[in-house]
Amino acid sequence: MTAASAAHPHERPLDTPADWWRQATVYQIYPRSFADANGDGIGDLRGIISRVPYLASLGIDAVWLSPFYPSALADGGYDVADYRDVDPRIGTLDEFDEMVAALHAEDIRVVVDIVPNHSSDQHEWFQAALAAGPGSPERARYIFRDGKGPGGGEPPTDWESLFGGPAWTRVPDGQWYLHLFAPEQPDFDWSNHEVRADFLHTLRFWADRGVDGFRVDVAHALTKDLTEPLPSKAQLEAIARGGDHPIWDRDEVHEIYAEWRKVFDSYSPPRTAVAEAWVERHRRPRYASPEGLGQAFEFDLLTAEFEAQAFREVVDDSLELAGISGSSSTWVLSNHDVVRHATRYGLPPLDKPVGSTESEDKQGRAWILAGAPEEALDRDLGLRRARAATLFELALPGSAYLYQGEELGLHEVGDLPDEARQDPTYFRSPGVDKGRDGCRVPLPWTTTGSSFGFGDDGAHLPQPEWFGASSVEAQDGDPASTLSLYREALRLRRSLQSAERLEWLEEFTRGDVLAFARPNGWVCVTNFGDEPAALPDGEVLLSSAPLDGDRLPGAATAWLRAS
Ligand code: NOJ
Ligand code: CA
């Protein structure tokens, strides 16, 4: 028991093994779009509490909540105005405690999102920095610089923000501040000790409330080398990202995570963390090491085409990296930043690079498809492949991160009216990149009714007509539905789970087919092609599509118990 659990009487620490996370299934909730209890069109904590039975029925081990903190919503809540409170539109701290208790009562752990690279421009520290002026200690918590050219009227460098447009914004007294993302997201200066101390405080604040783990946003950007003269954009892009790039993935970022690790390990069970770090593959184990955050997202499955050889390479690579870090693999097919996988797999592959580095290119591909025309999309094929990919993912050793709505087989909402869009990437591109709103449309719970059961009165992003047919109500109890497939897969996964290893069954791994076995005889076969494929001997436990006699049809996965 931590001392703080006495301060939060609702909190019941889970009697859980310290390594619960290694092969956990974590379900990502995007709070504003999950369930709206008070009918204002915005999802809230009461909505989550009301859906705890649903979450329990899925058979997940944990939920990860995207930011629910006070925010001006310049970036869907990733612009945090107060790291230790709940946005009043989403709930209260008491409701947060109630939610944790309700989830823990179902043995579901709670992971929250920590956004340490930048705050909101509404954060009291940034407001204080603006008021205090150049050279002040308040400004030293962020990255302020004088401009160039006559009167300092030009930005310190020509760098671009990741959301498009310049990475520097000028304030009324003439200085400029750095924001790698939107102007409303000023970057912290992590060489500042107050910044470091404040985040340790935040981690303890949530851990004391019973939070089981943290997802760390843009974990690879915190420490920066901004000694003068600053490089130009072209120079910056030419520097290899391997430990001493001025911004990305600097070696000393791990000093921060070593400090955080001490905080995590001061709790029982230790709090967990997973890094969102878009770094070159060989650099990933540093984030995932037990002295650091402990886990790092691997997006390689998410960015791979639906293709046997591509999937196999990703799996081999990931298991090798897990061996190096001592962590487990982390599988992701969808999240709040990318086009839903049912839609990606129904679109023709992109054939041109969209980023200047390999990792930017992969990330960009997953984003850019949002603008693909509806005529290019084969919805049935996309969903069929998505179901197959999900069963493949869930049979792999390691943990799986699922995104709300994928259990309904939801497609991206590709045709949102432009006036409804909220994502800064849309406004700053401008309009070229459709942005990420299409995967953030509030969930459909019922087949009809106002906002399809999301709330009583509308939804903050408009839902399309076809959402009703994909709703929980429409799928509940239908054995052929995607919801039933997820429930059954998660139930079986629990009973079949075993050591974090797999063996490729070479006899069946040919051409478009991948087959592997886990140590206890759990076999997974995926057919990425069109022609039916032979299955190994054994009892078929589950398949993503009806079998073709005793063969596995194209774009399908089957699980068997080897005989
Ligand atoms: C990654 C988050 O997943 C994304 O939604 C956000 O826009 C950026 N980081 C900036 O915080
Ligand atoms: Ca609400």
Side-chain angles (χ1 to χ4, degrees):
M1 287 272 278
T2 64
S5 49
H8 297 287
H10 296 301
E11 198 260 315
R12 183 177 74 86
L14 281 177
D15 181 17
T16 197
D19 64 353
W20 67 266
W21 50 274
R22 291 195 72 95
Q23 303 213 67
T25 312
V26 185
Y27 179 91
Q28 181 189 357
I29 291 180
Y30 191 76
R32 286 179 182 78
S33 301
F34 185 67
D36 170 22
N38 66 354
D40 65 355
I42 299 172
D44 43 46
L45 299 185
R46 283 248 157 266
I48 298 175
I49 294 169
S50 75
R51 298 297 180 183
V52 168
Y54 173 77
L55 294 167
S57 81
L58 289 178
I60 52 172
D61 300 296
V63 292
W64 146 34
L65 271 66
S66 277
F68 48 80
Y69 314 110
S71 169
L73 300 185
D75 181 21
Y78 284 88
D79 46 322
V80 179
D82 181 348
Y83 290 88
R84 299 189 284 273
D85 205 351
V86 176
D87 189 320
R89 288 165 291 189
I90 291 189
T92 64
L93 281 170
D94 284 345
E95 285 171 350
F96 183 86
D97 293 342
E98 205 182 310
M99 178 196 72
V100 171
L103 288 163
H104 279 181
E106 294 292 348
D107 272 348
I108 299 173
R109 293 149 193 90
V110 181
V111 172
V112 300
D113 221 308
I114 293 291
V115 189
N117 179 65
H118 45 264
S119 71
S120 158
D121 61 350
Q122 303 302 308
H123 191 286
E124 64 168 326
W125 275 7
F126 193 72
Q127 291 298 315
L130 291 182
S136 61
E138 286 84 353
R139 243 168 225 207
R141 296 169 182 144
Y142 293 91
I143 301 169
F144 280 87
R145 290 288 183 277
D146 292 330
K148 289 200 309 200
E154 288 166 29
T157 66
D158 59 350
W159 300 351
E160 274 173 24
S161 98
L162 266 74
F163 288 166
W168 299 92
T169 290
R170 199 171 197 196
V171 302
D173 59 45
Q175 276 206 311
W176 299 75
Y177 66 89
L178 179 70
H179 50 87
L180 294 181
F181 295 89
E184 297 87 350
Q185 294 170 295
D187 281 43
F188 281 118
D189 183 341
W190 271 86
S191 66
N192 182 292
H193 291 288
E194 284 181 278
V195 171
R196 290 197 182 213
D198 197 62
F199 272 90
L200 295 177
H201 182 179
T202 295
L203 295 174
R204 285 199 197 91
F205 178 88
W206 294 108
D208 287 348
R209 298 194 100 90
V211 158
D212 302 274
F214 300 93
R215 178 264 187 194
V216 183
D217 190 66
V218 211
H220 57 309
L222 273 47
T223 51
K224 301 176 177 81
D225 176 11
L226 300 178
T227 38
E228 306 281 347
L230 293 174
S232 67
K233 173 174 180 273
Q235 288 167 331
L236 193 67
E237 284 174 358
I239 304 172
R241 299 184 177 193
D244 53 9
H245 186 276
I247 293 178
W248 303 111
D249 189 25
R250 293 184 61 75
D251 284 342
E252 69 261 24
V253 77
H254 300 290
E255 293 163 16
I256 295 170
Y257 301 133
E259 272 181 10
W260 290 20
R261 172 52 53 192
K262 286 190 198 134
V263 174
F264 302 150
D265 286 352
S266 70
Y267 290 86
S268 176
R271 297 333 193 213
T272 66
V274 56
E276 185 221 20
W278 291 84
V279 297
E280 305 304 330
R281 73 172 281 279
H282 68 283
R283 305 272 308 167
R284 223 177 280 151
R286 295 166 186 251
Y287 295 84
S289 86
E291 296 80 38
L293 292 174
Q295 253 195 337
F297 282 130
E298 289 160 41
F299 296 116
D300 299 329
L301 203 58
L302 183 157
T303 52
E305 302 293 348
F306 184 80
E307 199 261 307
Q309 203 45 39
F311 269 46
R312 177 169 179 165
E313 279 167 21
V314 167
V315 170
D316 285 339
D317 202 44
S318 171
L319 294 177
E320 191 190 327
L321 292 180
I324 294 169
S325 66
S327 185
S328 56
S329 292
T330 53
W331 309 109
V332 187
L333 291 170
S334 279
N335 64 30
H336 66 297
D337 286 335
V338 298
V339 171
R340 287 184 175 279
H341 65 287
T343 301
R344 290 200 314 269
Y345 294 148
L347 287 168
L350 282 171
D351 53 8
K352 58 174 184 356
V354 294
S356 52
T357 64
E358 192 194 355
S359 106
E360 252 177 44
D361 179 44
K362 286 182 169 179
Q363 190 175 15
R365 279 161 189 269
W367 283 10
I368 215 164
L369 288 168
E374 179 70 26
E375 316 77 82
L377 173 64
D378 183 336
R379 286 178 172 261
D380 291 343
L381 177 67
L383 178 55
R384 193 180 161 93
R385 287 176 168 174
R387 290 165 55 109
T390 295
L391 283 200
F392 180 87
E393 172 193 36
L394 291 175
L396 291 170
S399 61
Y401 286 80
L402 310 177
Y403 176 53
Q404 68 178 37
E406 68 167 85
E407 78 279 18
L408 305 176
L410 278 190
H411 272 284
E412 187 83 358
V413 181
D415 54 357
L416 281 171
D418 286 347
E419 60 277 13
R421 293 194 185 273
Q422 303 173 6
D423 187 353
T425 62
Y426 170 72
F427 296 105
R428 289 176 64 81
S429 54
V432 179
D433 183 347
K434 292 291 174 198
R436 302 160 294 175
D437 295 312
C439 64
R440 300 175 178 182
V441 175
L443 288 192
W445 294 90
T446 54
T447 48
T448 56
S450 160
S451 66
F452 300 105
F454 165 67
D456 289 337
D457 194 15
H460 69 97
L461 280 167
Q463 301 156 301
E465 274 312 308
W466 52 263
F467 254 34
S470 297
S471 65
V472 174
E473 183 184 31
Q475 299 193 37
D476 206 4
D478 170 3
S481 73
T482 302
L483 177 58
S484 298
L485 181 74
Y486 270 72
R487 283 182 172 145
E488 186 58 8
L490 292 171
R491 191 186 68 77
L492 280 170
R493 176 179 153 97
R494 284 203 168 170
S495 65
L496 296 168
Q497 198 56 278
S498 70
E500 288 168 41
R501 290 197 305 279
L502 63 71
E503 184 196 336
W504 295 107
L505 302 178
E506 298 297 350
E507 193 192 336
F508 294 90
T509 297
R510 291 215 193 115
D512 289 328
V513 179
L514 292 182
F516 63 85
R518 299 288 301 276
N520 59 355
W522 176 14
V523 170
C524 176
V525 187
T526 300
N527 183 352
F528 292 82
D530 305 321
E531 295 302 314
L535 285 169
D537 289 341
E539 177 198 356
V540 176
L541 302 170
L542 186 63
S543 63
S544 66
L547 295 189
D548 186 348
D550 59 358
R551 295 163 76 79
L552 183 64
T557 295
W559 287 0
L560 299 89
R561 197 193 314 269
S563 54

